[in-house]
Amino acid sequence: MSIQMFPNVSSYGYTFDFIRDEIRALVEKGVLSRHQPIYSLAQFIPPREWMGVEKNLEQRDFLLRDRICDLLGAEEWEND
């Protein structure tokens, strides 16, 4: 089963903030776990767009084997 969450984008590619927001939405829906490696995202991104996303993440020193939680950064909780 393949769920395509990320929309098709022009040649400008995805911004880092957009990528992070989409990942956060997938985690909140329970489709992805924070503990999965970043390369798990490839199943949700159109193949022609994946190279751009991968390059964007690598420019920010993220490796595809890093965990998704590393990408999300600090999170705010409403109920502490």
Side-chain angles (χ1 to χ4, degrees):
M1 181 173 90
S2 177
I3 300 173
Q4 183 177 331
M5 184 74 168
F6 286 54
N8 291 331
V9 177
S10 68
S11 60
Y12 296 110
Y14 297 109
T15 66
F16 183 70
D17 290 333
F18 178 81
I19 294 168
R20 186 182 286 177
D21 290 343
E22 290 295 315
I23 293 168
R24 188 168 282 120
L26 289 170
V27 169
E28 288 174 0
K29 288 181 180 182
V31 177
L32 280 176
S33 165
R34 314 175 155 13
H35 304 291
Q36 287 181 274
I38 292 173
Y39 65 76
S40 302
L41 300 172
Q43 62 185 321
F44 302 101
I45 299 173
R48 68 178 169 267
E49 303 289 345
W50 175 247
M51 292 289 287
V53 171
E54 185 177 348
K55 184 176 179 180
N56 192 324
L57 295 173
E58 288 176 351
Q59 286 175 343
R60 287 166 176 77
D61 295 325
F62 288 103
L63 301 174
L64 296 180
R65 66 175 180 253
D66 291 344
R67 303 288 169 209
I68 289 174
C69 61
D70 297 334
L71 205 92
L72 295 177
E75 297 182 72
E76 295 180 21
W77 297 86
E78 293 182 20
N79 298 340
D80 275 341

